[in-house]
């Protein structure tokens, strides 16, 4: 496709995870747009929400008047409120993955919580951090 892709609210698109075990693309719709991001509805597969973590790389395919347009993006935000959605980077936006800070395939992200003395609240901090990251 020539030129830049045009996105509009309600536009259908296909979202596919680039994780090694991912198999299928899922149908979604554009909910909102900004100059640097697209907010898309979280897809469903057989009646179940398809959840991917923030930082996941995805391939977005959208139909345009002159053909289909595909690009690789990154999920930068996930909302599980009344309207379940992912916010992804637009094609021209600079993502963390593009900046070379991507985690290698199959590797886990690790956050170490340490202290020099016991009883300073590491457990409380770690539980609250886990809750914040899970949302």
């Amino acid at each position: 496709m020539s030129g830049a892709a045009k996105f509009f609210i309600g536009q259908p698109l296909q979202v596919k995870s680039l994780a090694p075990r991912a198999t299928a693309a899922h149908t979604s719709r554009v909910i909102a747009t900004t100059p640097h991001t697209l907010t898309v509805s979280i897809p469903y597969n057989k009646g179940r929400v398809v959840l991917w973590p923030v930082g996941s790389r995805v391939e977005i395919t959208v139909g345009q008047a002159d053909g289909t347009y595909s690009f690789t993006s990154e999920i930068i935000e996930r909302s599980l409120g009344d309207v379940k959605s992912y916010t992804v980077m637009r094609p021209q936006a600079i993502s963390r993955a593009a900046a070379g800070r991507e985690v290698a395939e199959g590797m886990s992200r690790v956050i170490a919580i340490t202290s020099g003395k016991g009883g300073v609240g590491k457990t409380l901090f770690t539980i609250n951090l886990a809750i914040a990251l899970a949302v």
Side-chain angles (χ1 to χ4, degrees):
M1 180 181 130
S2 62
K6 304 284 188 222
F7 299 101
F8 56 87
I9 294 173
Q11 181 178 31
L13 47 83
Q14 296 290 313
V15 183
K16 182 179 191 281
S17 171
L18 295 178
R21 294 178 298 271
T23 57
H26 304 282
T27 302
S28 182
R29 292 200 176 274
V30 176
I31 296 173
T33 66
T34 71
H36 301 289
T37 65
L38 293 173
T39 301
V40 300
S41 61
I42 290 181
Y44 283 77
N45 182 23
K46 298 178 183 173
R48 296 184 138 183
V49 175
V50 178
L51 290 178
W52 295 311
V54 171
S56 295
R57 294 184 58 221
V58 293
E59 180 179 58
I60 309 284
T61 304
V62 61
Q64 302 282 298
D66 56 348
T68 59
Y69 181 77
S70 292
F71 63 96
T72 300
S73 187
E74 175 184 3
I75 297 174
I76 59 170
E77 185 177 332
R78 179 174 73 179
S79 173
L80 299 175
D82 291 337
V83 178
K84 294 172 179 43
S85 63
Y86 291 128
T87 301
V88 298
M89 301 299 293
R90 282 184 151 218
Q92 74 279 7
I94 298 171
S95 71
R96 291 177 297 170
R101 287 176 271 175
E102 182 179 3
V103 175
E105 294 284 332
M107 293 186 69
S108 299
R109 292 185 178 144
V110 176
I111 299 174
I113 310 297
T114 65
S115 172
K117 180 178 181 233
V120 295
K122 292 181 296 295
T123 302
L124 180 64
F125 175 81
T126 303
I127 290 169
N128 285 314
L129 178 63
I131 291 169
L133 293 173
V135 175

